[in-house]
Amino acid sequence: MTFWQACLSWWYGDTIVGCYRLGQVIGQGSFGCVHRASTESGDAVAVKVLNADQGSDERTSAAILAEMEVFLQLIGAKHPHVVSALDVVNDSETQRLCFIMELCAAGSMQQLLSTMVFTEGTAVYWQKQLFSGVAFLHGLKTVSYTH
């Protein structure tokens, strides 16, 4: 950790992972939690944090490695209906593996769906976007995806 990062961590009480300052937890997944975070230049991103002890059993380790393999293949791939993968940080100081991705300002899909009332037209519109994203992912010819 650099002196600058240590000062920011002490001053703001936030955790620094790589060059990302973690803020509030905005979601929870099967392998870790997702934080709102910021880059050194102040850009907002989402950071999925996995603790090193998360992969203590063989099955969980394999699932985490598969997720990381897919994530690494998505870095630089752009599609309007797929969250952008930006970076992976393996922080040896904190024993954390972190996936850095685009922050969706409107929140998670689950949050959005729970508050919306769908007309047939809206449902068809969203379904087309979803299928477009899935087709894009399959077209990358990477490892298999779970939808």
Side-chain angles (χ1 to χ4, degrees), residues 85-108:
L86 304 173
D87 194 7
V88 174
V89 174
N90 186 5
D91 191 335
S92 58
E93 283 186 40
T94 61
Q95 294 297 304
R96 293 180 179 172
L97 177 64
C98 302
F99 299 142
I100 293 56
M101 61 198 93
E102 170 186 12
L103 177 67
C104 297
S108 72

Side-chain angles (χ1 to χ4, degrees), residues 6-23:
C7 289
L8 279 178
S9 181
W10 174 81
W11 182 260
Y12 292 103
D14 293 341
T15 301
I16 305 290
V17 175
C19 61
Y20 304 95
R21 185 173 48 162
L22 303 183

Side-chain angles (χ1 to χ4, degrees), residues 42-63:
D43 295 329
V45 293
V47 177
K48 182 175 184 178
V49 179
L50 305 164
N51 288 324
D53 61 347
Q54 186 70 33
S56 56
D57 69 78
E58 193 173 311
R59 187 174 183 179
T60 304
S61 292

